[in-house]
Amino acid sequence: MIKTSHLALYRAYRPQTFDEVVEQQHIVTTLKNAVISKKIAHAYLFCGTRGTGKTTMAKIFARAVNCLSPVNGNPCNSCEICRGIIDGTILDVMEIDAASNNSVDNIRDIIDEVVYTPTKASKKVYIIDEVHMLSVGAFNALLKTLEEPPEHVIFILATTEPHKLPATVLSRCQRFDFRRITSRGIAGRLVKISKECGVSLSEEAALFIASLSEGALRDGISLLDQCISTGKSELDLVSVQRIIGVAPGEVIINTVEDLLGRKSSDAISRIDLIFSEGMDPGQFIHNLIRFMRDILVFKTTQNPYHLYSVTDEEKKA
């Protein structure tokens, strides 16, 4: 695991093999089998909401297909090729941000490059992030190369908005849809990271951070990073809520009770308290809506499994 003091936690603890990826097992299994069987497609499309591992998986796959001694479909991360790709000294794996390189000229540069064989690796891999940001002209320029690329080239397109891609591009790619990561999955990863950082994170606090992440592991790790940077060696639910600036569950529950009981003055007083203590009003409204949603879901299903509320206090209420 990479450990560099100035690196953000989500970068320092980015998975380096398929086995380290949190959930997304349906994609991990397919890509590992492709590496083992050496049946590699020429174009892949990774779709899903932010922070679900699209770029991370693309980087692991790029190393795995070029690795000199892959281990059960995983890159070894120790051979000359793997180290070179990680260090950025081997330029056969290129990551391009389509948000800032979205013109026809940018794509023509790629088209001019693909005809040349890789310098050290066996495959040239182009990872195009936020590919939906490409202009219409850029997509048209890419089409022919995407349909019939040289044998030594692989394209991995990543996007949060696949519906914005032309059908002609979609039809030329193997598509993988990344699911939102469950709160339990995120919480488990947060507890593991905090232990490696020498910080004790309670399970309740980890689940609370996970619930704010809305299925995006990167968001959860960024919130954990914010909490750890305070220097506390122990993080419980109350301290995490105070650091992040989110209203405690008790305030949410009491506000809902006031609203249901039509105690408008009490409800307004509680909301005023949120503002006066500098808590995020947007997050307060979001948590209020989420709690109301949980009430409706529980009344309908009588099953606590589908609830976003994670604390015992909220579940009891």
Side-chain angles (χ1 to χ4, degrees), residues 62-83:
R63 289 199 304 278
V65 297
N66 285 307
C67 182
L68 298 176
S69 51
V71 183
N72 192 27
N74 286 299
C76 69
N77 293 327
S78 55
C79 70
E80 179 192 358
I81 301 295
C82 284
R83 293 311 314 167

Side-chain angles (χ1 to χ4, degrees), residues 143-191:
L143 263 181
K144 186 63 179 173
T145 306
L146 202 61
E147 186 176 20
E148 296 176 4
E151 284 190 11
H152 58 262
V153 173
I154 300 169
F155 284 99
I156 303 176
L157 314 180
T159 179
T160 52
E161 302 183 56
H163 58 277
K164 290 187 177 179
L165 269 64
T168 46
V169 171
L170 293 171
S171 65
R172 286 161 171 79
C173 301
Q174 273 194 21
R175 175 171 172 165
F176 293 93
D177 288 282
F178 285 67
R179 298 167 185 159
R180 287 177 184 269
I181 301 168
T182 63
S183 291
R184 288 281 169 192
I186 293 173
R189 183 72 173 157
L190 296 181
V191 169

Side-chain angles (χ1 to χ4, degrees), residues 7 12 70 92-93 113 132 135 260:
L7 272 185
D92 294 324
V93 174
E113 287 174 9
H132 65 272
S135 65
L260 294 175

Side-chain angles (χ1 to χ4, degrees), residues 64-112:
V65 297
N66 285 307
C67 182
L68 298 176
S69 51
V71 183
N72 192 27
N74 286 299
C76 69
N77 293 327
S78 55
C79 70
E80 179 192 358
I81 301 295
C82 284
R83 293 311 314 167
I85 294 171
I86 291 170
D87 299 339
T89 54
I90 291 178
L91 302 178
D92 294 324
V93 174
M94 278 163 277
E95 188 178 349
I96 299 145
D97 176 25
S100 51
N101 299 283
N102 57 6
S103 70
V104 175
D105 289 338
N106 296 131
I107 295 303
R108 280 185 181 147
D109 289 341
I110 295 173
I111 294 167
D112 292 341

Side-chain angles (χ1 to χ4, degrees), residues 182 184 293 297-298 301-309 315:
T182 63
R184 288 281 169 192
R293 175 255 182 211
V297 169
F298 186 71
T301 65
Q302 296 295 311
N303 185 351
Y305 179 77
H306 301 288
L307 304 186
Y308 285 144
S309 302
K315 284 185 177 176

